[in-house]
Amino acid sequence: MKRLLFGAAYYDEYMPYERLGKDIEMMKKAGINTVRIAESTWSTCEPQEGVFDFSHVERVVDAMEEAGIGVIIGTPTYAVPTWMIKSYPDILAVTVKGRGIYGARQIMDITHPAYRHYSERVIRQLMKCTAHRKCVIGFQLDNETKYYGTAGKNVQERFVKYLRKKFSNSLDAMNHEFGLDYWSNRVNAWEDFPDVRGTINGSLGAEFEKFQRMLVDEFLSWQADIVNEYRREDQFITHNFDFEWRGYSYGVQPDVSQYHACKCLSVAGADIYHPSQDRLTGAEIAFGGDIARSLKQDNYLVLETQAQGYLDWTPYKGQLRLQAYSHIASGSNSVMYWHWHSIHNSFETYWKGVLSHDFQENDTYREACVIGREFLETGSRLVNLKKKNDVAVLVSNEALTALKWFGIEATAAGNNGIGYNDVVRWIYDTLYGMNVECDFLWPESENFGQYRVIIVPALYAAPDILLEKLNQYVRDGGNLLATFKTGFANENVKVSHELQPHILGRCLGIKYHQFTFPQGVKISGKIAEESGDREVKAFMELLEPDSAEVLASYEHYNWKRYAAVTKNEYGKGKAVYVGCMLSKTVLERLLDDLLKEAGVERTEERFPVIVRKGKNDFGRTVCFYLNYSAQRQTADCGPSDSRELLSGSELKRQETFTIEPWGVKILEEMQPEKELT
């Protein structure tokens, strides 16, 4: 990228009256340099089968090209037109709830031959219309794609073929590995394979979900192949991955293996939404950004984020600007809002854009103007920021799925009911508040050795080869922290018949035979000293150390003989195991000790001042100081004399400065570039 992209989704099709010229005038004033169009308007572009009308697309492209605004074209395949369902009602996905009813988006079977036929045709027609245009800078495949629960006959037939290949056509091997003899679920002939939607077997159910995720990989790759036939070398292909949704972007997306699905993209993209006003912390921005950046270990695009959004998200003064720079601080090369204008009908009428329903200037728009001006002035110093982090968090779709079947969430009804992403965010949010930047790893990642510390939350289901790789990482000098529910079952969710934790017990130096839910249990030990919250939460394993040092034990008359947290030296490295969910204050103390021992450089600032760094195209370190509070905060300049990019003021090394409420300071080191390594 040569500049930061600043923009919004724009839908000329939804406008209640003609105002394209006025919108462009307001965009130019706001510094908008990119719009995203076309991805949700199939029924407008093809109102009847084989009848195409790209007039809305063409007039917007014409106008944007004249105005010097770049355009990202989205393929319109995530919401199907009525005529298609009239002709092919079985395009609607069959899920565990039965056949869908037309209305909502993303309700189709993405494997259906007729859907694929019509999708390919409209994509090709759209590419012919747009790919040659000078202002078209890239293409977005579909929209927040998932498998949408599709589990119809055709999908299940493909699944059986997949299983036959996986188990080399051996029913005995499959029955044994999945434990299908239980409750007479054994399959004795491939043609007798039952409807997977009714299975009570977690191994089979988790394998089917894994297969469904693979359908997304294939679907996006299929679209990419079509687009690649038309795009120029200077045009990118991206996709707007989203996250587990809890009213906002929360955790690892359960329905897509993003690590695999992104292989067909030239640049990763993300949609990141988050609480606002007094609940704005920036944690979701950082989490989503770190995931997106780690997918291809490179800069990414924020293709959707909120301007106003939900009514309780209308930003306070300064928050829109703070949010924008938080995205850039994570390595994004864009900030793009969903959407430019608020719509006047249908489902998302009150998901507000940059402009409200009256299309007039408002506080959000005026703050966007500030951002646009600053991006224009300082963007060359902020685009393509590169990070080199010492800490990584290992995440796994397989562990996430397995824990839906056999984990804390499934077994702890009435006892907090937490799931995989709760454990991931427990770890991540604590690191975030400590200003410890991190990357993400996946089971297939090859670059474990580049990190001083790897943290493994609740890796319930994992192949032996991954556990051995983690052992080797510690043996070679790495520092590992693993939590409860790690190394318990293999990749087929088959629980190990050996001592737990399976294989990892060697580097951890512990074993355990039993686990339970805590009732009135606290921890005692060095890491819990002076902590106001020593309560054990959600889950606890009764650890017995072999070679490991006990860092904390359970403070309870019946469980006091068991360890709660341990540390073990193994080869050249160290491995810490956390057998229960600790309070955030105790976890922070534990992480602080581990990071110091691992030699991870730290900053003194803590939340609400968030500090994030990167190296720019000039080879200089850029440091963002983000104030996530309504109070003025202070921070110290780093070890180098720096220039504050937004004001132009200069600061001496270690000089103290202030950050306004919901404000941001961006410091670029001032050493001559030839002196930098």
Side-chain angles (χ1 to χ4, degrees):
M1 293 288 177
K2 297 181 179 179
R3 61 177 179 175
L4 293 176
L5 303 185
F6 186 51
Y10 184 72
Y11 304 106
D12 184 56
E13 301 87 342
Y14 302 164
M15 287 297 183
Y17 60 92
E18 168 57 45
R19 56 170 289 113
L20 179 57
K22 179 62 177 179
D23 281 326
I24 288 178
E25 177 187 329
M26 295 183 74
M27 288 178 184
K28 296 284 285 185
K29 180 179 177 180
I32 296 291
N33 59 32
T34 309
V35 295
R36 185 177 62 130
I37 68 171
E39 98 288 349
S40 67
T41 57
W42 192 344
S43 62
T44 306
C45 294
E46 190 178 4
Q48 293 296 327
E49 180 180 347
V51 178
F52 296 99
D53 179 3
F54 293 107
S55 57
H56 281 286
V57 172
E58 291 174 319
R59 77 186 226 100
V60 171
V61 170
D62 288 343
M64 297 300 169
E65 190 157 277
E66 183 178 351
I69 295 174
V71 178
I72 298 172
I73 300 292
T75 61
T77 47
Y78 83 109
V80 295
T82 55
W83 57 258
M84 185 188 301
I85 302 305
K86 185 70 172 179
S87 299
Y88 296 92
D90 58 341
I91 283 177
L92 294 173
V94 174
T95 71
V96 293
K97 297 179 180 178
R99 176 86 61 192
I101 299 175
Y102 183 85
R105 64 182 186 176
Q106 300 169 315
I107 55 172
M108 62 282 182
D109 173 9
I110 60 174
T111 73
H112 194 287
Y115 169 72
R116 288 294 187 94
H117 167 76
Y118 290 121
S119 293
E120 178 173 356
R121 190 172 67 178
V122 75
I123 292 170
R124 290 188 181 279
Q125 292 295 327
L126 181 61
M127 291 301 105
K128 291 175 183 177
C129 176
T130 61
H132 64 284
R133 299 300 297 268
K134 180 180 178 181
C135 67
V136 175
I137 62 173
F139 301 94
Q140 175 190 303
L141 306 179
D142 205 68
N143 179 77
E144 296 180 351
T145 308
K146 305 170 193 65
Y147 56 81
Y148 314 133
T150 187
K153 181 180 178 181
N154 61 323
V155 173
Q156 299 206 39
E157 287 175 350
R158 290 177 61 172
F159 177 56
V160 172
K161 291 180 181 178
Y162 160 84
L163 290 178
R164 294 182 76 153
K165 182 177 180 180
K166 175 183 173 77
F167 290 103
S168 302
N169 213 32
S170 172
L171 278 166
D172 286 341
M174 183 194 70
N175 283 310
H176 175 73
E177 190 63 17
F178 287 169
L180 290 172
D181 286 311
Y182 188 77
W183 279 2
S184 198
N185 276 194
R186 181 179 180 85
V187 180
N188 291 305
W190 290 110
E191 56 267 30
D192 293 340
F193 213 98
D195 191 323
V196 185
R197 292 179 298 166
T199 188
I200 50 81
N201 182 285
S203 294
L204 180 59
E207 191 70 24
F208 186 55
E209 290 186 52
K210 178 180 179 180
F211 173 76
Q212 289 172 306
R213 290 193 294 271
M214 293 169 66
L215 300 178
V216 179
D217 305 343
E218 188 274 331
F219 177 68
L220 290 178
S221 181
W222 171 80
Q223 285 214 17
D225 287 344
I226 298 171
V227 174
N228 276 324
E229 293 182 33
Y230 297 89
R231 76 178 179 103
R232 304 187 304 267
E233 286 189 8
D234 64 324
Q235 293 170 323
F236 59 78
I237 295 183
T238 189
H239 175 73
N240 54 332
F241 290 113
D242 66 349
F243 303 89
E244 185 200 353
W245 185 257
R246 298 192 183 181
Y248 54 90
S249 306
Y250 184 78
V252 176
Q253 172 54 253
D255 295 337
V256 182
S257 177
Q258 295 177 348
Y259 182 79
H260 295 292
C262 78
K263 300 297 184 184
C264 66
L265 309 176
S266 55
V267 59
D271 292 352
I272 302 174
Y273 296 99
H274 49 83
S276 190
Q277 299 183 7
D278 290 332
R279 296 193 299 140
L280 178 64
T281 67
E284 289 74 28
I285 295 175
F287 177 86
D290 288 343
I291 288 270
R293 186 188 67 251
S294 299
L295 287 173
K296 299 182 82 68
Q297 299 182 58
D298 204 352
N299 300 101
Y300 62 98
L301 300 175
V302 172
L303 293 158
E304 288 185 20
T305 192
Q306 67 214 54
Q308 297 183 71
Y310 286 155
L311 299 186
D312 60 338
W313 287 357
T314 305
Y316 293 162
K317 180 181 178 181
Q319 287 188 340
L320 194 77
R321 179 172 175 261
L322 173 63
Q323 293 158 195
Y325 284 112
S326 296
H327 289 296
I328 303 304
S330 290
S332 176
N333 274 340
S334 74
V335 176
M336 299 193 68
Y337 299 113
W338 199 89
H339 37 172
W340 171 249
H341 53 87
S342 301
I343 62 174
H344 300 77
N345 300 93
S346 198
F347 191 70
E348 293 178 309
T349 298
Y350 289 101
W351 188 297
K352 297 180 70 178
V354 176
L355 302 183
S356 295
H357 296 101
D358 58 12
F359 298 133
Q360 302 299 307
E361 292 191 8
N362 57 52
D363 288 343
T364 299
Y365 170 80
R366 283 186 280 271
E367 195 158 311
C369 292
V370 174
I371 299 166
R373 183 181 68 249
E374 291 177 346
F375 276 14
L376 181 63
E377 294 170 351
T378 65
S380 64
R381 320 299 296 190
L382 303 179
V383 70
N384 303 322
L385 284 179
K386 296 296 185 281
K387 291 177 174 288
K388 188 179 185 306
N389 292 324
D390 290 328
V391 179
V393 177
L394 175 66
V395 292
S396 164
N397 277 97
E398 288 70 32
L400 189 162
T401 301
L403 278 171
K404 289 199 301 184
W405 284 88
F406 291 118
I408 305 162
E409 186 173 352
T411 58
N415 194 71
N416 294 330
I418 69 167
Y420 176 79
N421 274 323
D422 295 286
V423 183
V424 172
R425 285 294 301 268
W426 170 59
I427 292 290
Y428 183 87
D429 289 3
T430 304
L431 290 169
Y432 174 76
M434 298 169 66
N435 280 317
V436 178
E437 292 198 69
C438 64
D439 295 339
F440 281 91
L441 294 169
W442 286 266
E444 302 85 355
S445 300
E446 298 293 335
N447 55 330
F448 283 23
Q450 76 181 53
Y451 297 101
R452 293 177 183 266
V453 176
I454 292 178
I455 301 176
V456 182
L459 186 65
Y460 179 78
D464 288 359
I465 190 172
L466 173 58
L467 302 179
E468 293 287 7
K469 188 161 65 171
L470 290 169
N471 272 341
Q472 187 64 47
Y473 166 77
V474 179
R475 191 182 300 121
D476 291 343
N479 297 274
L480 177 74
L481 185 148
T483 79
F484 53 92
K485 287 288 187 181
T486 289
F488 201 79
N490 71 3
E491 67 271 29
N492 297 314
V493 202
K494 187 179 185 69
V495 174
S496 172
H497 58 270
E498 300 175 352
L499 282 174
Q500 294 290 357
H502 178 53
I503 294 179
L504 281 182
R506 296 204 298 272
C507 79
L508 295 169
I510 59 164
K511 62 179 177 289
Y512 66 89
H513 309 288
Q514 293 180 296
F515 40 83
T516 187
F517 299 133
Q519 299 180 51
V521 181
K522 297 183 179 181
I523 64 164
S524 60
K526 183 179 179 181
I527 63 170
E529 292 175 358
E530 301 178 3
S531 173
D533 185 0
R534 296 186 293 115
E535 181 184 0
V536 175
K537 302 170 183 177
F539 189 78
M540 55 186 285
E541 294 166 347
L542 307 178
L543 308 182
E544 299 178 19
D546 291 327
S547 57
E549 172 190 357
V550 177
L551 299 183
S553 300
Y554 295 116
E555 190 175 286
H556 185 276
Y557 70 90
N558 191 66
W559 309 124
K560 60 184 178 182
R561 65 188 182 278
Y562 295 110
V565 184
T566 61
K567 180 173 72 172
N568 189 52
E569 294 188 5
Y570 182 69
K572 299 177 183 178
K574 296 182 178 66
V576 173
Y577 191 72
V578 183
C580 60
M581 183 167 265
L582 308 166
S583 69
K584 188 170 285 192
T585 55
V586 176
L587 177 61
E588 183 173 336
R589 173 78 176 273
L590 176 65
L591 288 169
D592 195 52
D593 290 345
L594 177 64
L595 295 166
K596 285 179 181 176
E597 290 186 16
V600 176
E601 293 185 8
R602 304 283 307 285
T603 181
E604 295 299 319
E605 283 78 19
R606 294 292 185 273
F607 184 83
V609 175
I610 293 299
V611 182
R612 294 176 78 78
K613 298 179 180 179
K615 187 155 286 192
N616 66 16
D617 282 343
F618 299 90
R620 299 191 179 193
T621 297
V622 176
C623 190
F624 295 76
Y625 293 82
L626 310 160
N627 180 10
Y628 276 96
S629 77
Q631 292 77 43
R632 182 179 288 109
Q633 302 289 334
T634 61
D636 292 333
C637 183
S640 304
D641 293 347
S642 299
R643 181 170 66 94
E644 205 286 303
L645 291 178
L646 302 180
S647 66
S649 61
E650 296 184 2
L651 290 90
K652 297 296 184 182
R653 60 188 300 271
Q654 308 301 338
E655 181 179 344
T656 299
F657 59 92
T658 62
I659 316 168
E660 294 301 308
W662 309 113
V664 57
K665 292 288 180 71
I666 307 174
L667 274 56
E668 180 188 53
E669 64 180 358
M670 292 178 60
Q671 293 101 319
E673 291 157 24
K674 65 181 180 180
E675 295 180 9
L676 299 174
T677 58

